[in-house]
Amino acid sequence: DIQMTQSPSSLSASVGDRVTITCQASQDISNYLNWYQQKPGKAPKLLIYDASNLETGVPSRFSGSGSGTDFTFTISSLQPEDIATYYCQQYDNLPFTFGQGTRLEIK
Amino acid sequence: QVQLVQSGAEVKKPGASVKVSCKASGYTFTSYYMHWVRQAPGQGLEWMGIINPSGGSTSYAQKFQGRVTMTRDTSTSTVYMELSSLRSEDTAVYYCARVLVAGRAAFDIWGQGTMVTVSS
């Protein structure tokens, strides 16, 4: 199985800050990576697909980059409604696997 | 609108089975694979398996092989996930999520989740 390692596991930042989360795959997955946002008590929501493509309706302050084994997710200017847990997920091979999540809090 | 509506919360005893349903609407049922993902309390997301609603073929995570069965009913656009020999560690929220058959492989629509509690 492909292991996905996300860092940090938690993050505290101020409104307006630039926030970056990284995700590393245990093997080359090309650009077969998605990012999701999950708020408490809710299902995950797709933000970024194919490593860098913004899902329709998602604010442009969210972005993704990377390929191969190393990926980055960025919020350019943190907003209060961005408080959530973020997950990366690979789909290069079954079983699809997720990173362990990054819990984002407001400082 | 496009939605996946799951069945309600369940409480089961250890050793029992649970069957969760996921009814799709607002799109062509056979154009999307359906996956099941679970999340134990306070934990991350865990992929369980996939079913192709078109032919009914399935693939399961090794961890659940022999305990999980995914089926579908094309007449009602519903998929089912049955998990047997339940243990306390199976207490989790179970989600269905769709992925386009021909195109991007992202979970773009999720069900609302079904809480399954396993307790004696």
Side-chain angles (χ1 to χ4, degrees), chain A residues 8-38:
Chain A
S9 55
S10 64
L11 176 58
S12 182
S14 300
V15 172
D17 280 356
R18 182 181 183 87
V19 169
T20 298
I21 299 168
T22 63
C23 184
Q24 185 169 61
S26 60
Q27 65 187 65
D28 189 336
I29 59 169
S30 185
N31 68 329
Y32 300 148
L33 184 105
N34 304 316
W35 291 94
Y36 300 88
Q37 175 193 66
Q38 187 179 32

Side-chain angles (χ1 to χ4, degrees), chain A residues 58-81:
Chain A
V58 173
S60 59
R61 64 180 180 274
F62 296 100
S63 65
S65 64
S67 66
T69 61
D70 295 302
F71 301 87
T72 300
F73 172 81
T74 300
I75 306 173
S76 60
S77 178
L78 185 66
Q79 299 301 303
E81 61 267 31

